[in-house]
């Protein structure tokens, strides 16, 4: 296996990207209004893949997400943070 050297420019881009993601989550958490937490077996039925910001085990859906709970579908047309067990 060959050693691959990571340039300082690459490290800067990664650092910038991570800071931008963390800032998006901080801005979400600082929004005024009611924050609703729903726990349980929830399945994502549809979402906008171009407007998702991943961070660790969370996904910030910036536009919408449609979820299935108790055999019923719910469309949430607001920013949503989804906590995921096994990736998207």
């Amino acid at each position: 296996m060959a050693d691959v050297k990571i340039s300082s420019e690459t490290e800067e881009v990664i650092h910038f990207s991570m800071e931008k993601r963390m800032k998006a989550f901080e801005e979400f958490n600082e929004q005024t209004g009611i924050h609703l937490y729903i726990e349980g077996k929830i399945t994502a039925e549809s979402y906008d893949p171009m407007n998702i910001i991943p961070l660790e085990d969370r996904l910030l859906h910036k536009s919408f997400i449609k979820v299935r709970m108790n055999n019923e579908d719910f469309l949430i047309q607001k920013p949503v943070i989804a906590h995921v067990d096994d990736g998207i």
Side-chain angles (χ1 to χ4, degrees):
M1 189 187 317
D3 279 342
V4 177
K5 181 165 174 48
I6 299 173
S7 71
S8 61
E9 291 86 6
T10 300
E11 289 179 357
E12 287 175 22
V13 168
I14 292 169
H15 182 71
F16 174 79
S17 176
M18 291 304 295
E19 280 185 354
K20 191 171 178 182
R21 290 178 187 190
M22 287 186 282
K23 183 172 173 49
F25 277 82
E26 287 171 12
E27 288 173 354
F28 174 89
N29 287 324
E30 291 171 358
Q31 289 179 356
T32 59
I34 298 171
H35 288 242
L36 176 65
Y37 296 88
I38 303 172
E39 293 184 29
K41 184 171 171 43
I42 303 169
T43 306
E45 292 295 313
S46 64
Y47 51 86
D48 179 0
M50 297 304 292
N51 285 299
I52 294 177
I53 299 173
L55 184 65
E56 298 166 352
D57 63 341
R58 299 171 291 167
L59 300 171
L60 174 55
H61 296 267
K62 293 173 32 177
S63 55
F64 77 92
I65 185 170
K66 184 177 187 180
V67 296
R68 178 167 286 250
M69 297 180 287
N70 298 325
N71 295 321
E72 242 184 287
D73 289 346
F74 298 90
L75 176 62
I76 305 167
Q77 292 180 300
K78 300 274 185 188
V80 172
I81 291 180
H83 292 259
V84 295
D85 291 330
D86 298 312
I88 292 181

